């Protein structure tokens, strides 16, 4: 129940509070960290490591703020934060998302290439995710559309999508609806949060500290 007496919507799963912003949101949209045996902060991308979890919004600036002392305050002890923590989290998230896309491909639940993707979109295939490489041609990408109920991501490079689809380079990809597609959405959303730092898309440190 909320303070106003209304029942809180938990349809997106259990919630956790970001240690930086203080805002609660579905756990699936946050990055979990634990303190390792050597008192060093460890990202728990799979959410399975033992220990008390510390959750941070999937945002590069939020991670940088957390690294400046928020982790220690939350853990109530002096802990070490490795250099380049945000970069390591981004690397692990990208690897996880690429692996999930590859699993979708092997299960016959994903296609790549402009014509195949367009065929899925036009042929009534229930598409959950439309993928387009960040370094692909804007003109080519504009010719495809995101169907209702699907999610669009352009936070992967053509080389990363190529790795997922077993090719050297891929610009366009699509994933069918289902469990794997939902898991890709979850991981790609976090990855996009860490990579959207240009053009004022990400929150600034001043914005976060003002909350």
């Amino acid at each position: 129940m909320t303070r106003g007496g209304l029942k809180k919507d938990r349809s997106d799963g259990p919630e956790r509070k970001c240690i930086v912003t203080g805002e609660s949101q579905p756990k699936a949209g946050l990055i979990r960290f634990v303190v390792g045996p050597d008192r060093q902060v460890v990202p728990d991308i799979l959410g399975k490591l033992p220990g008390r979890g510390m959750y941070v919004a999937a945002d590069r600036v939020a991670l940088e703020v957390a690294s400046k002392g928020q982790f220690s305050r939350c853990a109530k002890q002096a802990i070490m934060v490795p250099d380049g923590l945000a970069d390591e989290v981004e690397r692990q998230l990208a690897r996880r998302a690429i692996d999930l896309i590859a699993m979708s491909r092997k299960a016959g639940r994903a296609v790549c290439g402009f014509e195949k993707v367009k065929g899925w979109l036009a042929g009534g295939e229930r598409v959950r995710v439309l993928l387009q490489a960040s370094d692909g041609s804007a003109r080519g990408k504009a010719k495809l559309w995101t169907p209702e109920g699907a999610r669009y991501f352009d936070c992967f490079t053509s080389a990363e999508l190529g790795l997922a689809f077993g090719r050297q380079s891929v610009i366009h990809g699509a994933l069918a609806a289902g469990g794997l597609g939902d898991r890709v959405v979850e991981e790609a959303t976090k990855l996009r949060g860490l990579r959207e730092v240009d053009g004022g898309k990400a929150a600034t440190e001043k914005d976060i500290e003002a909350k």
Side-chain angles (χ1 to χ4, degrees):
M1 298 286 284
T2 64
R3 290 184 179 181
L6 297 175
K7 187 173 289 187
K8 201 165 188 177
D9 180 11
R10 297 190 182 276
S11 58
D12 292 329
E15 293 190 345
R16 295 292 184 271
K17 182 181 291 186
C18 171
I19 66 171
V20 175
T21 66
E23 296 178 350
S24 294
Q25 66 182 73
K27 187 170 66 171
L30 298 165
I31 300 168
R32 184 177 188 264
F33 296 85
V34 297
V35 179
D38 55 356
R39 295 205 306 175
Q40 181 166 282
V41 174
V42 179
D44 181 19
I45 301 302
L46 298 180
K48 295 182 178 180
L49 292 178
R52 177 175 176 267
M54 298 179 288
Y55 294 85
V56 181
D59 178 277
R60 180 169 289 271
V61 177
L63 285 177
E64 291 172 352
V65 172
S67 298
K68 294 178 179 178
Q70 202 67 34
F71 281 124
S72 292
R73 284 192 285 274
C74 181
K76 298 181 180 178
Q77 62 175 314
I79 57 178
M80 295 180 291
V81 179
D83 293 336
L85 179 62
D87 290 335
E88 176 60 18
V89 170
E90 179 184 334
R91 186 194 69 77
Q92 291 190 30
L93 284 173
R95 180 72 260 181
R96 175 62 176 159
I98 289 168
D99 287 346
L100 288 170
I101 295 170
M103 290 171 62
S104 298
R105 171 181 62 84
K106 293 174 183 176
R109 307 292 292 169
V111 295
C112 67
F114 181 85
E115 292 301 331
K116 287 186 177 180
V117 172
K118 184 178 179 181
W120 266 28
L121 296 175
E125 179 74 29
R126 192 164 165 236
V127 174
R128 180 69 174 105
V129 182
L130 174 61
L131 301 165
Q132 303 211 74
S134 58
D135 52 340
S137 164
R139 182 178 179 183
K141 291 191 289 185
K143 295 179 181 179
L144 297 177
W145 63 95
T146 307
E148 184 177 356
R151 293 288 300 275
Y152 172 77
F153 294 100
D154 62 354
C155 55
F156 299 95
T157 66
S158 58
E160 288 173 330
L161 290 181
L163 186 62
F165 283 96
R167 299 188 178 187
Q168 184 173 353
S169 177
V170 167
I171 302 298
H172 314 283
L175 277 63
L180 281 173
D182 291 341
R183 289 164 68 187
V184 171
V185 167
E186 183 176 316
E187 301 303 330
T189 299
K190 295 176 185 178
L191 179 64
R192 182 170 61 188
L194 264 72
R195 289 186 168 177
E196 287 187 343
V197 295
D198 297 322
K201 293 180 182 178
T204 66
E205 188 169 334
K206 187 177 292 186
D207 292 334
I208 289 176
E209 291 177 342
K211 291 184 178 181

